[in-house]
Amino acid sequence: MSAPRRDEGPGASEDDSGRLARRLGTGDAVVIGLGSMIGAGVFAAFGPAARAAGAGLLIGLAVAAVIAYCNAVASAQLAAVYPVSGGTYVHGRERLGPWWGFAAGWGFVVGKTASCAAMALTFASYAVPGPWWAQRAAAAAAVVALAALNYRGVTRTALATRVLVATSLTALAAVVIAIAVGGGGSPANLDGWGQGGGYGVLQSAGLLFFAFAGYARIATLGEEVRDPRRVIPRAISIALLITVAVYLVVGVAALLAAGPDRLASSAAPLTTAVEAAGAAALAPVVRAGAALAALGALLSLIAGIGRTTLAMARNRDLPHWLAAVHPRHRVPHHAEIAVAVAVGALVATADLRGVIGFSSFGVLVYYAIANASAFTQPARDRRRPRALNLLGAAGCLVLIVTLPWQSVLAGTAMFAIGLAGRKLVLARRPRPA
């Protein structure tokens, strides 16, 4: 199985008129990667992770980072050979077969749909510190408003990405500074590394993996960066390193200020940390930063899911009516409406920890298949040793089975529904003569 290869250098083809311009350097790619990672996830994931592992969530953070790196390397290697939309849905079909591609695409769609619900709930938790019903109403309103924007073809630009990165980093810096100068932190809050044992640490890693979602965005830039074979791996490493450093500093600060028990019981853990440090005056800055980051992530996610759904519908792996493109706005409007309805249902019925776990389940399956696909590539297409693909796939599977049992059960049920549905559709589809 193979796809038309794209040479990485300029002038590789007699006709470059259909190519995107190679304008991005290492710095640009790093900023795009940071914009995909440092977002609303970090404002939400420390609470569930603290519930699973206490202060051991810091170890879980390191585990999640290693697996994220393996996954990003695999995605970069595949994107260099298959520079088309669809990500591992396409890569799995090409390297492993249609069923694996479908499983990856299904995992992405259901996992990222849950991510949308998590972003909507995160927005509401920080923006509306009122009763639960008001938060649910605000989350649902955000989904409807941003789905309407996407319906009209509004997307995040490079400038918007930089603004959102700056907003998120400003809010995270406010957390760290408030705790450092507030004097409310206590080293005793870092005790309890053994809470939950090794299982708890791995569960926290699976939940914190949610906060790294989007890192492989760099791997899709192969046609837009200069010298992609050098720039993409370097940008992935730099962006991940910066993100891990930021998350580690924020995690330590939050634990010092509030302790794992208070973080575990909070839907807005970083606001809780700032208030516990005696710097409540800065809480509005944190709330505003988290709310804006969540809205930006939600806008981007709805667009991304809609386009993967479009690709699957075109191959009839999902109902073909989802492949419709609006004649004026040129967006997959049926797919985006379906996504908005599904997210609205999750917002109305699920809690934040549940949708984070469910999201991690689907996305970890997606990346396990990405690693397996990269493992099958021949030596001429490889960028890193196969051992990284094995580590990435094994790590994804381990994190999947250590997620909260409710997330594992719900995720398994959703995959069973998807695979059974595809089998039924194929059985009823007329065979070619």
Side-chain angles (χ1 to χ4, degrees):
M1 285 177 278
S2 61
R5 295 178 57 82
R6 182 194 74 247
D7 195 285
E8 300 294 334
S13 149
E14 293 182 3
D15 181 13
D16 287 344
S17 60
R19 296 191 179 193
L20 300 174
R22 295 187 182 277
R23 297 174 176 170
L24 304 178
T26 301
D28 300 307
V30 168
V31 168
I32 290 172
L34 291 175
S36 300
M37 283 184 285
I38 299 180
V42 68
F43 293 95
F46 281 123
R51 189 183 307 179
L57 70 86
L58 298 176
I59 302 175
L61 180 65
V63 173
V66 170
I67 295 172
Y69 176 75
C70 294
N71 297 346
V73 166
S75 296
Q77 182 174 294
L78 289 161
V81 181
Y82 305 101
V84 293
S85 299
T88 302
Y89 168 65
V90 173
H91 306 153
R93 286 175 64 93
E94 292 290 341
R95 301 303 314 169
L96 302 174
W99 278 98
W100 291 101
F102 173 83
W106 184 251
F108 181 88
V109 169
V110 299
K112 292 298 186 180
T113 298
S115 293
C116 286
M119 293 301 94
L121 290 170
T122 298
F123 160 74
S125 296
Y126 281 92
V128 186
W132 67 268
W133 60 265
Q135 292 185 352
R136 301 277 177 160
V143 172
V144 172
L146 295 185
L149 282 177
N150 266 318
Y151 191 92
R152 297 184 64 83
V154 176
T155 58
R156 283 173 63 181
T157 63
L159 176 60
T161 299
R162 284 167 168 78
V163 170
L164 287 168
V165 171
T167 300
S168 298
L169 287 176
T170 298
L172 294 175
V175 171
V176 175
I177 293 170
I179 293 170
V181 303
S186 170
N189 287 332
L190 293 179
D191 293 341
W193 287 79
Q195 180 179 330
Y199 180 88
V201 168
L202 290 174
Q203 186 176 110
S204 73
L207 294 167
L208 286 165
F209 185 84
F210 172 80
F212 287 100
Y215 54 83
R217 173 70 180 90
I218 301 173
T220 66
L221 299 174
E223 200 171 335
E224 298 173 74
V225 299
R226 299 185 293 270
D227 191 9
R229 285 191 176 273
R230 179 183 63 86
V231 168
I232 289 178
R234 178 182 295 180
I236 286 173
S237 299
I238 294 172
L240 267 173
L241 183 62
I242 293 172
T243 301
V244 172
V246 170
Y247 286 2
L248 182 62
V249 171
V250 172
V252 170
L255 284 168
L256 284 171
D261 292 338
R262 292 183 67 178
L263 292 181
S265 62
S266 175
L270 297 191
T271 298
T272 298
V274 169
E275 292 172 346
L282 282 178
V285 176
V286 178
R287 289 188 179 279
L292 287 173
L295 289 177
L298 181 56
L299 179 64
S300 179
L301 280 167
I302 290 174
I305 300 168
R307 281 144 184 81
T308 299
T309 301
L310 171 70
M312 295 181 71
R314 282 174 171 168
N315 285 326
R316 298 187 181 273
D317 277 335
L318 288 177
H320 191 61
W321 65 271
L322 292 171
V325 176
H326 195 282
R328 178 182 175 188
H329 301 303
R330 311 307 300 169
V331 297
H333 56 306
H334 287 180
E336 291 188 353
I337 291 171
V339 169
V341 170
V343 174
L346 283 173
V347 163
T349 58
D351 62 11
L352 184 58
R353 182 171 185 258
V355 291
I356 287 177
F358 185 77
S359 173
S360 291
F361 186 101
V363 176
L364 284 164
V365 169
Y366 175 88
Y367 281 116
I369 295 173
N371 279 287
S373 300
F375 183 83
T376 68
Q377 289 184 278
R380 68 176 183 274
D381 294 332
R382 304 202 58 78
R383 300 184 177 199
R384 293 290 187 275
R386 278 194 167 94
L388 281 181
N389 303 143
L390 292 175
L391 177 61
C396 287
L397 296 176
V398 168
L399 294 190
I400 286 170
V401 299
T402 54
L403 286 169
W405 67 266
Q406 299 94 330
S407 300
V408 174
L409 183 62
T412 302
M414 284 301 299
F415 270 91
I417 291 170
L419 294 171
R422 185 174 193 268
K423 185 174 180 62
L424 179 62
V425 169
L426 290 178
R428 298 179 62 180
R429 185 175 296 169
R431 296 181 180 274

